[in-house]
Amino acid sequence: MEISSRPSRLLQQLNEQRRQDLFCDCSILVEGKVFKAHRNVLFASSGYFKMLLSQSSKDMSQPTTATFHMFSPDTFMVILDFVYSGKLSLTGQNVIEVMSAASYLQMTDIISVCKTFIKSSLDISEKEKDRYFSLSEKDLNSNGTESPGLYSTEWRVESSPPHSQMDSDVGVSMVGGNSWSNCTYYSASQRNTQRSNLIKQTQRRHSIKKRMRQLGLPQSTDVPPGKSRKLGDRASEPTNHISQSEEQTQLDTEVDFADAGYQHGLGSEVLPRSLLETQQEYESSRSANKSKSSKADELYASMPTILGVMGSWIEDDVRFKCPFCTHMVKRKADLKRHLRCHTGERPYPCEACGKRFTRLEHLRSHFRTIHQACKPICRKCKRHVTDMTGQVVQEGTRRYRLCNECLVEAGIESIPIDLEAEQSLGFSPEEDKDSRWHFGEEHRTKEVVEEDSVGLVIQEVDDSEDETEKKEVKPNIS
DNA sequence: CTGGGGATGGGGCCC
DNA sequence: CGGGCCCCATCCCCA
């Protein structure tokens, strides 16, 4: 016979004891504020505490103390309240920090709730959008006041009492690792600029799919687990680690959910609003939520203060753990590089096509293959070509080589170098000849329009000038 | 539908 | 610590 209410009553009792500082044998110091708690409860709730307490458990007579600097007392209070009550008080303002702290403390329960919170905020964003349009269409003359408590309830995890959420693969490595260092992130305005550039990319669908994968969201083209990457960290990456890029993508578009609460139970799944499928949706969403986006930007702006690098020690080997996934690297610089895949930061734009890259080398590679036709290989027959046996064909902003035979076969051998067409791209003959690759944002639209009219342009291949051209053509990559 | 190849992105590591 | 190279996985396009 089982009394189902017994565990919760026990937890209530423990919570009461905590509040009255009864039998507390553990002190947690967070930025000068002391929290009292029970070892047993902390041990059972957090992988971090489990490791910490198992190391210090030999001396049970001494009270255990732990000190944290990487999150605020308020954040820890939210987590501690969750540990003792199963209730997680999330708001739009604290969700990121709570999730980050939970990641550090290895409390995947909380991470899951935070993730769902953020996901469902996107759902709310869509509802808000619908409501916005609805108001626009029907209630333009109405008072337009919003129900302040539209989403005000509290997030609760009631279905499961706090329990151990060990992340075995990171558990050991986390012990003693508590140094955080700030990382560089784009400001909100920079991000807006980047985002607008990103929006213009033609491969958005690809990135959305990819981000869905990062989120662990189901998708039709998802690869089976067995086909995952060679590196175990991706395969083993828990799906409850929301990627920051995704998180930000969502937060950028979401409504103001700060100060609002949400009712959530783990048992009743809150279906995440899937990522916006198209640019139109994305942008209409953005425009619909324009008045609210500043809040999301504020939220983003707060991230640099709460995101960081966890240094941890495995034996004598210092390694750095990504706060958003289980990936660990040996060098800070590698972590910084890795973080770009979470932040979506793409600092290296291609001047020719506007496509942005996370790394300079990728930009260079892209530019060489797409815009410079550096490969001395005929694109059609794959044979090796020289400047004697082939020519460079330009198609839009793409360049590639064709051997003379394939040129004849394609019937484009008679097309001369179309200087007029090149000028039609918006460059005067006086301009640097290479500046035709410097398509800025202002040229891009024109470029697309003109691309068809440009057609194929053949230029003489001069391999000897390739290096020179490389430098001139792409000053920002050399 | 499928396989091949190009483009892209990410990790490890050397300089 | 940044730059760069190499390698590999994945995606996408095309035959």
Side-chain angles (χ1 to χ4, degrees), chain A residues 400-441:
Chain A
Y400 51 87
R401 294 179 193 236
L402 289 179
C403 66
N404 291 331
E405 289 84 19
C406 292
L407 277 169
V408 174
E409 205 174 304
I412 53 176
E413 83 287 352
S414 59
I415 300 177
I417 297 170
D418 195 344
L419 291 175
E420 284 186 14
E422 293 206 7
Q423 288 172 25
S424 75
L425 287 171
F427 304 99
S428 66
E430 288 75 24
E431 280 181 302
D432 178 359
K433 65 168 183 172
D434 298 314
S435 66
R436 62 180 172 271
W437 302 112
H438 296 179
F439 295 140
E441 284 292 317

Side-chain angles (χ1 to χ4, degrees), chain A residues 83-275:
Chain A
V83 165
Y84 275 91
S85 68
K87 295 174 187 172
L88 192 62
S89 302
L90 284 181
T91 69
Q93 284 158 338
N94 72 7
V95 60
I96 302 297
E97 189 169 352
V98 168
M99 187 167 72
S100 191
S103 171
Y104 184 78
L105 296 172
Q106 299 169 53
M107 302 174 75
T108 52
D109 248 5
I110 295 180
I111 297 171
S112 296
V113 176
C114 290
K115 178 184 166 185
T116 314
F117 180 95
I118 294 168
K119 273 188 201 169
S120 63
S121 72
L122 196 65
D123 185 40
I124 290 162
S125 167
E126 283 304 293
K127 288 176 186 168
E128 188 73 2
K129 183 182 75 176
D130 294 343
R131 200 163 61 87
Y132 176 90
F133 286 132
S134 170
L135 284 172
S136 304
E137 290 165 9
K138 298 174 185 174
D139 300 325
L140 280 176
N141 296 325
S142 67
N143 56 19
T145 55
E146 298 180 8
S147 154
L150 190 60
Y151 305 113
S152 22
T153 49
E154 186 184 64
W155 273 55
R156 298 170 63 116
V157 183
E158 295 175 302
S159 59
S160 61
H163 56 279
S164 177
Q165 292 291 332
M166 283 299 293
D167 198 345
S168 58
D169 61 333
V170 294
V172 175
S173 65
M174 300 291 282
V175 172
N178 55 5
S179 67
W180 283 49
S181 62
N182 288 335
C183 297
T184 306
Y185 291 89
Y186 276 15
S187 69
S189 57
Q190 281 174 311
R191 269 189 57 77
N192 283 341
T193 309
Q194 284 210 343
R195 187 173 50 216
S196 66
N197 289 337
L198 277 170
I199 285 169
K200 288 169 186 172
Q201 288 180 23
T202 56
Q203 295 187 340
R204 189 167 298 97
R205 194 164 54 98
H206 164 74
S207 62
I208 287 176
K209 277 184 182 177
K210 186 147 193 174
R211 289 179 175 190
M212 288 177 75
R213 272 200 314 280
Q214 287 179 337
L215 255 184
L217 295 176
Q219 53 178 314
S220 57
T221 58
D222 216 348
V223 290
K227 208 184 169 185
S228 57
R229 307 184 61 155
K230 61 157 186 178
L231 297 168
D233 64 286
R234 288 206 167 260
S236 64
E237 183 172 328
T239 54
N240 55 8
H241 278 91
I242 186 168
S243 78
Q244 191 198 352
S245 65
E246 191 47 52
E247 178 184 307
Q248 284 164 8
T249 304
Q250 295 175 4
L251 294 177
D252 282 349
T253 59
E254 76 196 6
V255 297
D256 173 15
F257 58 80
D259 303 324
Y262 302 82
Q263 185 78 29
H264 170 72
L266 285 180
S268 59
E269 186 184 359
V270 178
L271 287 176
R273 159 71 185 154
S274 60
L275 293 171

Side-chain angles (χ1 to χ4, degrees), chain A residues 348-461:
Chain A
Y348 305 103
C350 173
E351 298 282 339
C353 66
K355 188 169 169 58
R356 305 183 76 99
F357 297 87
T358 56
R359 294 196 219 164
L360 187 60
E361 65 200 272
H362 288 162
L363 168 60
R364 285 205 181 112
S365 169
H366 158 83
F367 194 80
R368 277 195 290 263
T369 55
I370 301 299
H371 305 300
Q372 276 195 325
C374 279
K375 285 182 184 171
I377 294 169
C378 174
R379 197 192 190 195
K380 219 173 175 186
C381 64
K382 313 295 180 193
R383 279 185 299 181
H384 186 271
V385 292
T386 65
D387 51 338
M388 298 300 291
T389 62
Q391 289 180 312
V392 170
V393 173
Q394 182 181 327
E395 189 179 2
T397 59
R398 280 185 165 238
R399 280 178 169 188
Y400 51 87
R401 294 179 193 236
L402 289 179
C403 66
N404 291 331
E405 289 84 19
C406 292
L407 277 169
V408 174
E409 205 174 304
I412 53 176
E413 83 287 352
S414 59
I415 300 177
I417 297 170
D418 195 344
L419 291 175
E420 284 186 14
E422 293 206 7
Q423 288 172 25
S424 75
L425 287 171
F427 304 99
S428 66
E430 288 75 24
E431 280 181 302
D432 178 359
K433 65 168 183 172
D434 298 314
S435 66
R436 62 180 172 271
W437 302 112
H438 296 179
F439 295 140
E441 284 292 317
E442 68 276 11
H443 291 136
R444 200 155 299 127
T445 309
K446 186 178 178 61
E447 169 201 346
V448 172
V449 171
E450 300 287 350
E451 211 165 82
D452 289 340
S453 64
V454 170
L456 299 177
V457 178
I458 302 171
Q459 293 185 317
E460 290 296 328
V461 179

Side-chain angles (χ1 to χ4, degrees), chain A residues 308-321:
Chain A
V309 178
M310 298 177 193
S312 56
W313 283 257
I314 296 178
E315 294 168 357
D316 295 331
D317 191 15
V318 179
R319 303 192 76 179
F320 298 91
K321 183 190 175 298

